[in-house]
Amino acid sequence: MKTLQKFGFGIFLTGLSLFCALIFLGQYQLTPEKFDKLITEKGIKSELFIANLNANVVNKTFSGPFDFSTKIIAALEEANTIHRKKREWSKVIWDKPHSFSYEVAKKAGIGSIVEHKGMFWLLTFGLGILGSLLYILPNVITLGPPGIKNNDIFFDSSTNRGFLGWFVFIFLVAFYVLLYFFPDYIVNWTYIVDPISKRLSGNLASQWFLYGFLYCVVMMVMAIRMYIKYRNNKYQILRTTSVLFFQIVFAFLIPEILVRFEKPWYDFKNAFPLDYDFFFSWNLNSLISSGGFGLFILVWGIVLTLVIVPVMVYFFGKRWYCSWVCGCGGLAETLGDPFRHLSNKSIGAWKLERWLVHGVLVFSLLMTGFTLYSYFSGASAVFGIKTQTLQNIYGFLIGSIFAGVIGTGFYPIFGNRVWCRFGCPLAAYLGLVQRFKSRFRITTNGGQCISCGNCSTYCEMGIDVRAYAQKGQNIVRSSCVGCGVCSAVCPRGVLKLENGPLANRTHLPNFPLGNTLDN
Amino acid sequence: MVTQPPIIIIGNGIAGITTARHIRKKSDVPILIISKESRYFFSRTALMYVYMGHLKWEHTQPYENHFWKKNRLDLLEETVTTINPALKTIGLSNGTELSYAKLVLATGSIPNKFGWPGENLKGVQGLYSKQDLENLESLSSSIKEAIVVGGGLIGIELAEMLHARGKKVTFLVREKSFWSNVLPLEDSQMINRHILSHGIELKLATNLIKIIEDENGRAKAILTEHGEMIPCQFVGLTAGVRPNIDFIKNTSIASKRGILVNKYLETNQADIYAIGDCAEQQEPVEGRRAIEAVWYTGRMMGETLAKTIVGEKTAYRPGHWFNSAKLFDIASQTYGWVAAHPDENESHFHWENREKNLGITIAFNKTTHEFLGINTFGLRMRHEIFDQILTEKRSVSHVIEHLNDCNFDPEFFTSYATQIVAKFNQEHDTNIRLKKKSWTRIFTNLITKE
Ligand SMILES: Cc1cc2nc3c(=O)[nH]c(=O)nc-3n(C[C@H](O)[C@H](O)[C@H](O)COP(=O)(O)OP(=O)(O)OC[C@H]3O[C@@H](n4cnc5c(N)ncnc54)[C@H](O)[C@@H]3O)c2cc1C
Ligand code: SF4
């Protein structure tokens, strides 16, 4: 069994290495026809840029994306500087340089990767999936009978901030940086999922399609790991199935299929303010211009945030969203599960959490207020602050750096819910409802707690569950996402997530049950 | 102005720390906690999880390090060697003398040894303290085969720990069945099967004769009473614990097995109290033992004594007995008393699902049908509700009828209540109908509490 697992790990690493190697491979050649097409599609009016490319890029063959991208970006920036100086605003190319370079590269790819997309898919995704399954499936036997399966977690270098943990950290951060800021370097990755994208939406894959697809694959594989690890716990199994379903169907398939029918790309479960650009003018315009269906989305989006979300939190707690539906939560609960114990439990971290997460909520609401004001009044700035600038800052700091690079990249260092705990404005909103008006609580079973600390250690949100349980108090915390793992790892069956009457929900007894102290 | 001598607490386990915390809630008196084992309070019950890699040491500490200073609880890492009740002073191993206003003895237990030949060899130890854990960890890489002697809760934990780290474990149990002095036979047999299913070599009704030494003074094998020689590199002695009171024996504080206390947890000496594992009740509350070496008892005594110390003299009156344990993968809970060997007035109802390792045993009075207690295995029950059932002296049929209210399993878990009720009806010729879970009932129970 162990050999099979090692073999599987080897295959996985091979797939992963090939996937990484893909970045450096491939050839790019911009033919005059392709270039002409690009000029018309993008409406490029800069003769400087066109001349530069014709001289330096067109009809030349480049190996690897770096040189190619450098040339394109240099040409773009050179042309833009001159046009700006001359105030020839219509000739300026406003796209972000690397996104622009991505679009050119996507058209210009030639050679074996582009010609054998399927084969390269198999060599990367295929080997990766096969290897992981070979590594994960034998756990049914190696982990022994169903039960709490946390042996060796703090001895393993990947799950205890060891060498492997830091390696995964660097890998994930690099991945997110490429994805968000250097899409032109990962064009090759998008090629290998082109065939799948074609089938779904009819379009070639963008880096976002690649990300969505990879997300689903990773979640699926890691969900299998969850099924095996928590096979003694039905709550975990159902919850994992639910997040997986919502990710694949709602976040991936439905939006792509909508695009096929020329409807706006929309993830029906992604609620504002997590979906922070829902009220951005480009989105509102696109929704309004796509007729009845667009309007339906608009109404749905508003009702989801204002009615469905709080009502569901009232009945079931924030968990219905964060641990059963949400995509970020879904990744955290599958890919992130091996790292859940790395969250910081100190009171200091709790303070920081409250400042940050509510700060982001306020920021997102302010930004949206500005956006809507601008949208209806036509003014581009409010109180002298440019709406666009606010949106850019939010998108960069919160949308990309916080949610992506830190949120997922830092799994192996700070645990799997960094974004959900410190950054997600929706979580902050759900949390307020959960704290003040919800039937949800984690019930502490009388005096049975032995203060062992497993619950606190494995709480991904850094809640010191034991601090409540050992006092015999129920746990009601705005940050609790109801993953149910405290209850699953408690060796004494002290904790139960449940929805019950509001009265006495946070009741704190003078002493845990067992003592008769009424002298 | 002379500074007021502090309340000194010897022992920073659950008993001592609970006392300190609850005194501090009500009063500002200076408090000094002395303990040699570790600077900060940790959860002894979590030792196993550190060895198995579930937790790091810091996770066993229920309070952050700044907690103590913030709450003005002074900590001293020293061994107390003498007590002078007449002068109200104690002496430390480094020669220092300290005065106390009141003295709380919360010194816990130490593992039993029975004079087995070889019990002090290298590679032979108990599992109680932080140092025991460190010892075991340092030996760990040289252990392939391990023996655990003594079939109680610490024994089965040690067996699980060694097994989790890939050691071949032989588990010697003196009784005919695991923990059979506490568990009724059917419950105990269920655990026997479970232990075996993990690949542990379980040897029932087997006494240790001696431990055999290798040329380096380390254990290399054991000899059992059946003449069997079992090679090993480690022997865990877990045949129970006894109060850790050797240094008190030569003082005027009265003791038998433990330090003798009255119901106010007072010793025979003024201003000296004893709580937790080391205390022995002169007149135990009905249905309770004189020495109860469990976590909950230490906590409850600590809560009680704190009241007395802040001026509300309070007798120790533990409520109904409850306990919990984890036996490899089977978590068990107990409410009330289920006798291992029931007398002629006590009847037992047992239900079991072998495939899933689930079971319950309910004890009740044969004639009055009063519910006496329940052991559950793999199923969780609500403490509050059983506490109330015991207080109100409800009948066994009341319990069976309300199993859905009592159940505390996580959401979506399969319910076995219907099966249990059917079996009960069939065996007792009754016609009890299971009631649906009612929040109102569960909840009213909770409210009547306070
Ligand atoms: C492995 C293990 C698992 C357990 N699991 C459970 C369980 O699941 N459930 C349960 O109910 N109970 C369990 N117990 C029992 C429970 O841990 C004890 O009952 C409880 O810890 C006793 O608390 P205490 O405060 O009385 O003493 P202790 O925790 O023993 O604390 C006493 C402290 O005093 C110190 N001390 C003693 N003498 C001196 C001195 N002269 N000078 C300075 N310091 C001194 C000792 O070093 C020690 O640190 C377990 C015990 C062990 C060992
Ligand atoms: S609630 Fe359970 S896991 Fe948490 S400290 Fe108490 S006994 Fe341990």
PDB file of all heavy atoms in Angstrom, chain A residues 415-442:
ATOM      1  N   GLY A 415      -2.964  28.509   7.634  1.00  0.00           N
ATOM      2  CA  GLY A 415      -4.196  27.746   7.657  1.00  0.00           C
ATOM      3  C   GLY A 415      -5.085  28.105   6.479  1.00  0.00           C
ATOM      4  O   GLY A 415      -4.792  28.998   5.696  1.00  0.00           O
ATOM      5  N   ASN A 416      -6.194  27.389   6.395  1.00  0.00           N
ATOM      6  CA  ASN A 416      -6.960  27.380   5.148  1.00  0.00           C
ATOM      7  C   ASN A 416      -8.080  28.403   5.067  1.00  0.00           C
ATOM      8  O   ASN A 416      -8.812  28.432   4.094  1.00  0.00           O
ATOM      9  CB  ASN A 416      -7.549  25.983   4.945  1.00  0.00           C
ATOM     10  CG  ASN A 416      -8.388  25.567   6.135  1.00  0.00           C
ATOM     11  OD1 ASN A 416      -8.188  26.042   7.250  1.00  0.00           O
ATOM     12  ND2 ASN A 416      -9.350  24.696   5.919  1.00  0.00           N
ATOM     13  N   ARG A 417      -8.269  29.207   6.100  1.00  0.00           N
ATOM     14  CA  ARG A 417      -9.407  30.124   6.020  1.00  0.00           C
ATOM     15  C   ARG A 417      -8.968  31.567   6.231  1.00  0.00           C
ATOM     16  O   ARG A 417      -9.709  32.367   6.784  1.00  0.00           O
ATOM     17  CB  ARG A 417     -10.454  29.740   7.063  1.00  0.00           C
ATOM     18  CG  ARG A 417     -11.290  28.506   6.718  1.00  0.00           C
ATOM     19  CD  ARG A 417     -12.487  28.860   5.850  1.00  0.00           C
ATOM     20  NE  ARG A 417     -13.460  27.765   5.782  1.00  0.00           N
ATOM     21  CZ  ARG A 417     -14.617  27.843   5.141  1.00  0.00           C
ATOM     22  NH1 ARG A 417     -14.960  28.960   4.511  1.00  0.00           N
ATOM     23  NH2 ARG A 417     -15.438  26.824   5.111  1.00  0.00           N
ATOM     24  N   VAL A 418      -7.763  31.877   5.825  1.00  0.00           N
ATOM     25  CA  VAL A 418      -7.256  33.224   6.054  1.00  0.00           C
ATOM     26  C   VAL A 418      -8.180  34.260   5.412  1.00  0.00           C
ATOM     27  O   VAL A 418      -8.573  35.245   6.033  1.00  0.00           O
ATOM     28  CB  VAL A 418      -5.834  33.361   5.493  1.00  0.00           C
ATOM     29  CG1 VAL A 418      -5.350  34.780   5.612  1.00  0.00           C
ATOM     30  CG2 VAL A 418      -4.896  32.427   6.244  1.00  0.00           C
ATOM     31  N   TRP A 419      -8.545  34.015   4.195  1.00  0.00           N
ATOM     32  CA  TRP A 419      -9.428  34.947   3.501  1.00  0.00           C
ATOM     33  C   TRP A 419     -10.784  35.004   4.186  1.00  0.00           C
ATOM     34  O   TRP A 419     -11.292  36.077   4.510  1.00  0.00           O
ATOM     35  CB  TRP A 419      -9.564  34.528   2.038  1.00  0.00           C
ATOM     36  CG  TRP A 419     -10.765  35.097   1.338  1.00  0.00           C
ATOM     37  CD1 TRP A 419     -11.843  34.406   0.872  1.00  0.00           C
ATOM     38  CD2 TRP A 419     -11.002  36.477   1.013  1.00  0.00           C
ATOM     39  NE1 TRP A 419     -12.742  35.261   0.293  1.00  0.00           N
ATOM     40  CE2 TRP A 419     -12.248  36.540   0.364  1.00  0.00           C
ATOM     41  CE3 TRP A 419     -10.292  37.665   1.230  1.00  0.00           C
ATOM     42  CZ2 TRP A 419     -12.805  37.740  -0.083  1.00  0.00           C
ATOM     43  CZ3 TRP A 419     -10.852  38.857   0.779  1.00  0.00           C
ATOM     44  CH2 TRP A 419     -12.084  38.884   0.137  1.00  0.00           C
ATOM     45  N   CYS A 420     -11.355  33.843   4.456  1.00  0.00           N
ATOM     46  CA  CYS A 420     -12.702  33.794   5.030  1.00  0.00           C
ATOM     47  C   CYS A 420     -12.736  34.465   6.398  1.00  0.00           C
ATOM     48  O   CYS A 420     -13.725  35.055   6.796  1.00  0.00           O
ATOM     49  CB  CYS A 420     -13.163  32.350   5.187  1.00  0.00           C
ATOM     50  SG  CYS A 420     -12.870  31.348   3.739  1.00  0.00           S
ATOM     51  N   ARG A 421     -11.639  34.348   7.113  1.00  0.00           N
ATOM     52  CA  ARG A 421     -11.623  34.860   8.481  1.00  0.00           C
ATOM     53  C   ARG A 421     -11.281  36.344   8.536  1.00  0.00           C
ATOM     54  O   ARG A 421     -11.915  37.103   9.250  1.00  0.00           O
ATOM     55  CB  ARG A 421     -10.578  34.069   9.282  1.00  0.00           C
ATOM     56  CG  ARG A 421     -10.467  34.486  10.716  1.00  0.00           C
ATOM     57  CD  ARG A 421      -9.379  33.675  11.419  1.00  0.00           C
ATOM     58  NE  ARG A 421      -9.260  34.085  12.809  1.00  0.00           N
ATOM     59  CZ  ARG A 421      -8.244  33.764  13.586  1.00  0.00           C
ATOM     60  NH1 ARG A 421      -7.270  33.014  13.100  1.00  0.00           N
ATOM     61  NH2 ARG A 421      -8.202  34.179  14.832  1.00  0.00           N
ATOM     62  N   PHE A 422     -10.266  36.739   7.772  1.00  0.00           N
ATOM     63  CA  PHE A 422      -9.774  38.108   7.897  1.00  0.00           C
ATOM     64  C   PHE A 422     -10.257  39.032   6.780  1.00  0.00           C
ATOM     65  O   PHE A 422     -10.161  40.244   6.928  1.00  0.00           O
ATOM     66  CB  PHE A 422      -8.240  38.124   7.890  1.00  0.00           C
ATOM     67  CG  PHE A 422      -7.624  37.419   9.060  1.00  0.00           C
ATOM     68  CD1 PHE A 422      -7.152  36.120   8.932  1.00  0.00           C
ATOM     69  CD2 PHE A 422      -7.527  38.042  10.296  1.00  0.00           C
ATOM     70  CE1 PHE A 422      -6.574  35.472  10.011  1.00  0.00           C
ATOM     71  CE2 PHE A 422      -6.960  37.394  11.372  1.00  0.00           C
ATOM     72  CZ  PHE A 422      -6.484  36.105  11.239  1.00  0.00           C
ATOM     73  N   GLY A 423     -10.703  38.448   5.670  1.00  0.00           N
ATOM     74  CA  GLY A 423     -10.929  39.318   4.523  1.00  0.00           C
ATOM     75  C   GLY A 423     -12.303  39.336   3.902  1.00  0.00           C
ATOM     76  O   GLY A 423     -12.685  40.325   3.270  1.00  0.00           O
ATOM     77  N   CYS A 424     -13.077  38.285   4.041  1.00  0.00           N
ATOM     78  CA  CYS A 424     -14.276  38.198   3.212  1.00  0.00           C
ATOM     79  C   CYS A 424     -15.400  39.089   3.739  1.00  0.00           C
ATOM     80  O   CYS A 424     -15.895  38.897   4.846  1.00  0.00           O
ATOM     81  CB  CYS A 424     -14.768  36.761   3.131  1.00  0.00           C
ATOM     82  SG  CYS A 424     -16.299  36.634   2.191  1.00  0.00           S
ATOM     83  N   PRO A 425     -15.817  40.070   2.959  1.00  0.00           N
ATOM     84  CA  PRO A 425     -16.860  40.984   3.432  1.00  0.00           C
ATOM     85  C   PRO A 425     -18.209  40.276   3.596  1.00  0.00           C
ATOM     86  O   PRO A 425     -18.992  40.641   4.477  1.00  0.00           O
ATOM     87  CB  PRO A 425     -16.924  42.042   2.336  1.00  0.00           C
ATOM     88  CG  PRO A 425     -16.372  41.388   1.114  1.00  0.00           C
ATOM     89  CD  PRO A 425     -15.360  40.388   1.593  1.00  0.00           C
ATOM     90  N   LEU A 426     -18.441  39.259   2.782  1.00  0.00           N
ATOM     91  CA  LEU A 426     -19.700  38.531   2.914  1.00  0.00           C
ATOM     92  C   LEU A 426     -19.704  37.766   4.236  1.00  0.00           C
ATOM     93  O   LEU A 426     -20.699  37.751   4.961  1.00  0.00           O
ATOM     94  CB  LEU A 426     -19.884  37.571   1.734  1.00  0.00           C
ATOM     95  CG  LEU A 426     -21.165  36.735   1.759  1.00  0.00           C
ATOM     96  CD1 LEU A 426     -22.403  37.621   1.733  1.00  0.00           C
ATOM     97  CD2 LEU A 426     -21.198  35.761   0.588  1.00  0.00           C
ATOM     98  N   ALA A 427     -18.562  37.182   4.554  1.00  0.00           N
ATOM     99  CA  ALA A 427     -18.457  36.452   5.817  1.00  0.00           C
ATOM    100  C   ALA A 427     -18.703  37.389   6.990  1.00  0.00           C
ATOM    101  O   ALA A 427     -19.333  37.017   7.980  1.00  0.00           O
ATOM    102  CB  ALA A 427     -17.085  35.804   5.942  1.00  0.00           C
ATOM    103  N   ALA A 428     -18.205  38.627   6.864  1.00  0.00           N
ATOM    104  CA  ALA A 428     -18.414  39.592   7.941  1.00  0.00           C
ATOM    105  C   ALA A 428     -19.911  39.868   8.110  1.00  0.00           C
ATOM    106  O   ALA A 428     -20.433  39.915   9.228  1.00  0.00           O
ATOM    107  CB  ALA A 428     -17.670  40.880   7.636  1.00  0.00           C
ATOM    108  N   TYR A 429     -20.588  40.036   6.985  1.00  0.00           N
ATOM    109  CA  TYR A 429     -22.025  40.307   7.002  1.00  0.00           C
ATOM    110  C   TYR A 429     -22.788  39.114   7.579  1.00  0.00           C
ATOM    111  O   TYR A 429     -23.589  39.255   8.519  1.00  0.00           O
ATOM    112  CB  TYR A 429     -22.446  40.639   5.567  1.00  0.00           C
ATOM    113  CG  TYR A 429     -23.919  40.644   5.267  1.00  0.00           C
ATOM    114  CD1 TYR A 429     -24.840  41.236   6.137  1.00  0.00           C
ATOM    115  CD2 TYR A 429     -24.392  40.102   4.069  1.00  0.00           C
ATOM    116  CE1 TYR A 429     -26.193  41.249   5.816  1.00  0.00           C
ATOM    117  CE2 TYR A 429     -25.731  40.118   3.748  1.00  0.00           C
ATOM    118  CZ  TYR A 429     -26.633  40.677   4.625  1.00  0.00           C
ATOM    119  OH  TYR A 429     -27.960  40.688   4.313  1.00  0.00           O
ATOM    120  N   LEU A 430     -22.506  37.924   7.059  1.00  0.00           N
ATOM    121  CA  LEU A 430     -23.155  36.713   7.575  1.00  0.00           C
ATOM    122  C   LEU A 430     -22.882  36.557   9.069  1.00  0.00           C
ATOM    123  O   LEU A 430     -23.744  36.171   9.848  1.00  0.00           O
ATOM    124  CB  LEU A 430     -22.604  35.478   6.863  1.00  0.00           C
ATOM    125  CG  LEU A 430     -22.883  35.319   5.369  1.00  0.00           C
ATOM    126  CD1 LEU A 430     -21.865  34.375   4.760  1.00  0.00           C
ATOM    127  CD2 LEU A 430     -24.261  34.798   5.140  1.00  0.00           C
ATOM    128  N   GLY A 431     -21.648  36.910   9.445  1.00  0.00           N
ATOM    129  CA  GLY A 431     -21.235  36.756  10.835  1.00  0.00           C
ATOM    130  C   GLY A 431     -22.043  37.642  11.767  1.00  0.00           C
ATOM    131  O   GLY A 431     -22.423  37.226  12.862  1.00  0.00           O
ATOM    132  N   LEU A 432     -22.313  38.853  11.320  1.00  0.00           N
ATOM    133  CA  LEU A 432     -23.093  39.754  12.171  1.00  0.00           C
ATOM    134  C   LEU A 432     -24.481  39.166  12.404  1.00  0.00           C
ATOM    135  O   LEU A 432     -25.004  39.189  13.524  1.00  0.00           O
ATOM    136  CB  LEU A 432     -23.192  41.137  11.523  1.00  0.00           C
ATOM    137  CG  LEU A 432     -21.875  41.917  11.513  1.00  0.00           C
ATOM    138  CD1 LEU A 432     -21.995  43.194  10.694  1.00  0.00           C
ATOM    139  CD2 LEU A 432     -21.449  42.245  12.943  1.00  0.00           C
ATOM    140  N   VAL A 433     -25.069  38.639  11.333  1.00  0.00           N
ATOM    141  CA  VAL A 433     -26.398  38.036  11.491  1.00  0.00           C
ATOM    142  C   VAL A 433     -26.307  36.836  12.429  1.00  0.00           C
ATOM    143  O   VAL A 433     -27.107  36.661  13.347  1.00  0.00           O
ATOM    144  CB  VAL A 433     -26.968  37.601  10.120  1.00  0.00           C
ATOM    145  CG1 VAL A 433     -28.372  37.041  10.293  1.00  0.00           C
ATOM    146  CG2 VAL A 433     -26.959  38.753   9.136  1.00  0.00           C
ATOM    147  N   GLN A 434     -25.276  36.014  12.196  1.00  0.00           N
ATOM    148  CA  GLN A 434     -25.139  34.797  13.011  1.00  0.00           C
ATOM    149  C   GLN A 434     -24.948  35.124  14.485  1.00  0.00           C
ATOM    150  O   GLN A 434     -25.480  34.458  15.350  1.00  0.00           O
ATOM    151  CB  GLN A 434     -23.942  33.986  12.498  1.00  0.00           C
ATOM    152  CG  GLN A 434     -23.496  32.891  13.444  1.00  0.00           C
ATOM    153  CD  GLN A 434     -22.708  31.810  12.732  1.00  0.00           C
ATOM    154  OE1 GLN A 434     -23.242  31.073  11.931  1.00  0.00           O
ATOM    155  NE2 GLN A 434     -21.432  31.738  13.008  1.00  0.00           N
ATOM    156  N   ARG A 435     -24.195  36.162  14.743  1.00  0.00           N
ATOM    157  CA  ARG A 435     -23.898  36.498  16.132  1.00  0.00           C
ATOM    158  C   ARG A 435     -25.152  37.015  16.836  1.00  0.00           C
ATOM    159  O   ARG A 435     -25.404  36.688  17.987  1.00  0.00           O
ATOM    160  CB  ARG A 435     -22.785  37.543  16.167  1.00  0.00           C
ATOM    161  CG  ARG A 435     -22.432  38.099  17.536  1.00  0.00           C
ATOM    162  CD  ARG A 435     -21.810  37.039  18.410  1.00  0.00           C
ATOM    163  NE  ARG A 435     -21.628  37.510  19.784  1.00  0.00           N
ATOM    164  CZ  ARG A 435     -22.594  37.609  20.675  1.00  0.00           C
ATOM    165  NH1 ARG A 435     -23.838  37.295  20.331  1.00  0.00           N
ATOM    166  NH2 ARG A 435     -22.352  38.029  21.895  1.00  0.00           N
ATOM    167  N   PHE A 436     -25.951  37.811  16.128  1.00  0.00           N
ATOM    168  CA  PHE A 436     -27.027  38.501  16.842  1.00  0.00           C
ATOM    169  C   PHE A 436     -28.416  37.931  16.597  1.00  0.00           C
ATOM    170  O   PHE A 436     -29.318  38.145  17.398  1.00  0.00           O
ATOM    171  CB  PHE A 436     -26.988  39.996  16.515  1.00  0.00           C
ATOM    172  CG  PHE A 436     -25.733  40.645  17.013  1.00  0.00           C
ATOM    173  CD1 PHE A 436     -24.727  41.032  16.137  1.00  0.00           C
ATOM    174  CD2 PHE A 436     -25.522  40.806  18.376  1.00  0.00           C
ATOM    175  CE1 PHE A 436     -23.555  41.603  16.613  1.00  0.00           C
ATOM    176  CE2 PHE A 436     -24.351  41.373  18.858  1.00  0.00           C
ATOM    177  CZ  PHE A 436     -23.368  41.769  17.977  1.00  0.00           C
ATOM    178  N   LYS A 437     -28.615  37.223  15.514  1.00  0.00           N
ATOM    179  CA  LYS A 437     -29.974  36.739  15.260  1.00  0.00           C
ATOM    180  C   LYS A 437     -29.927  35.438  14.470  1.00  0.00           C
ATOM    181  O   LYS A 437     -30.090  35.436  13.264  1.00  0.00           O
ATOM    182  CB  LYS A 437     -30.759  37.804  14.471  1.00  0.00           C
ATOM    183  CG  LYS A 437     -32.259  37.693  14.638  1.00  0.00           C
ATOM    184  CD  LYS A 437     -32.749  38.595  15.763  1.00  0.00           C
ATOM    185  CE  LYS A 437     -34.114  38.135  16.247  1.00  0.00           C
ATOM    186  NZ  LYS A 437     -34.257  38.204  17.692  1.00  0.00           N
ATOM    187  N   SER A 438     -29.667  34.353  15.139  1.00  0.00           N
ATOM    188  CA  SER A 438     -29.641  33.087  14.428  1.00  0.00           C
ATOM    189  C   SER A 438     -29.939  31.958  15.400  1.00  0.00           C
ATOM    190  O   SER A 438     -29.671  32.071  16.594  1.00  0.00           O
ATOM    191  CB  SER A 438     -28.257  32.871  13.801  1.00  0.00           C
ATOM    192  OG  SER A 438     -28.123  31.518  13.406  1.00  0.00           O
ATOM    193  N   ARG A 439     -30.510  30.903  14.856  1.00  0.00           N
ATOM    194  CA  ARG A 439     -30.795  29.747  15.693  1.00  0.00           C
ATOM    195  C   ARG A 439     -29.568  28.846  15.872  1.00  0.00           C
ATOM    196  O   ARG A 439     -29.573  27.933  16.677  1.00  0.00           O
ATOM    197  CB  ARG A 439     -31.940  28.932  15.063  1.00  0.00           C
ATOM    198  CG  ARG A 439     -33.290  29.633  15.080  1.00  0.00           C
ATOM    199  CD  ARG A 439     -34.290  28.949  14.158  1.00  0.00           C
ATOM    200  NE  ARG A 439     -34.493  27.546  14.484  1.00  0.00           N
ATOM    201  CZ  ARG A 439     -35.311  27.097  15.421  1.00  0.00           C
ATOM    202  NH1 ARG A 439     -36.024  27.939  16.123  1.00  0.00           N
ATOM    203  NH2 ARG A 439     -35.424  25.807  15.648  1.00  0.00           N
ATOM    204  N   PHE A 440     -28.537  29.130  15.118  1.00  0.00           N
ATOM    205  CA  PHE A 440     -27.362  28.249  15.134  1.00  0.00           C
ATOM    206  C   PHE A 440     -26.467  28.472  16.352  1.00  0.00           C
ATOM    207  O   PHE A 440     -26.238  29.589  16.774  1.00  0.00           O
ATOM    208  CB  PHE A 440     -26.546  28.460  13.860  1.00  0.00           C
ATOM    209  CG  PHE A 440     -25.238  27.728  13.875  1.00  0.00           C
ATOM    210  CD1 PHE A 440     -25.210  26.354  13.714  1.00  0.00           C
ATOM    211  CD2 PHE A 440     -24.044  28.407  14.065  1.00  0.00           C
ATOM    212  CE1 PHE A 440     -24.007  25.664  13.745  1.00  0.00           C
ATOM    213  CE2 PHE A 440     -22.841  27.724  14.090  1.00  0.00           C
ATOM    214  CZ  PHE A 440     -22.819  26.360  13.929  1.00  0.00           C
ATOM    215  N   ARG A 441     -25.970  27.386  16.898  1.00  0.00           N
ATOM    216  CA  ARG A 441     -24.955  27.445  17.942  1.00  0.00           C
ATOM    217  C   ARG A 441     -24.249  26.089  17.966  1.00  0.00           C
ATOM    218  O   ARG A 441     -24.737  25.106  17.404  1.00  0.00           O
ATOM    219  CB  ARG A 441     -25.563  27.738  19.311  1.00  0.00           C
ATOM    220  CG  ARG A 441     -26.013  26.536  20.141  1.00  0.00           C
ATOM    221  CD  ARG A 441     -27.246  25.825  19.633  1.00  0.00           C
ATOM    222  NE  ARG A 441     -28.372  26.651  19.296  1.00  0.00           N
ATOM    223  CZ  ARG A 441     -29.298  27.022  20.167  1.00  0.00           C
ATOM    224  NH1 ARG A 441     -29.209  26.649  21.403  1.00  0.00           N
ATOM    225  NH2 ARG A 441     -30.319  27.705  19.760  1.00  0.00           N
ATOM    226  N   ILE A 442     -23.093  26.045  18.604  1.00  0.00           N
ATOM    227  CA  ILE A 442     -22.472  24.752  18.889  1.00  0.00           C
ATOM    228  C   ILE A 442     -22.760  24.473  20.351  1.00  0.00           C
ATOM    229  O   ILE A 442     -22.316  25.213  21.229  1.00  0.00           O
ATOM    230  CB  ILE A 442     -20.962  24.770  18.634  1.00  0.00           C
ATOM    231  CG1 ILE A 442     -20.676  25.197  17.189  1.00  0.00           C
ATOM    232  CG2 ILE A 442     -20.369  23.390  18.901  1.00  0.00           C
ATOM    233  CD1 ILE A 442     -19.204  25.348  16.871  1.00  0.00           C
TER     234      ILE A 442
END
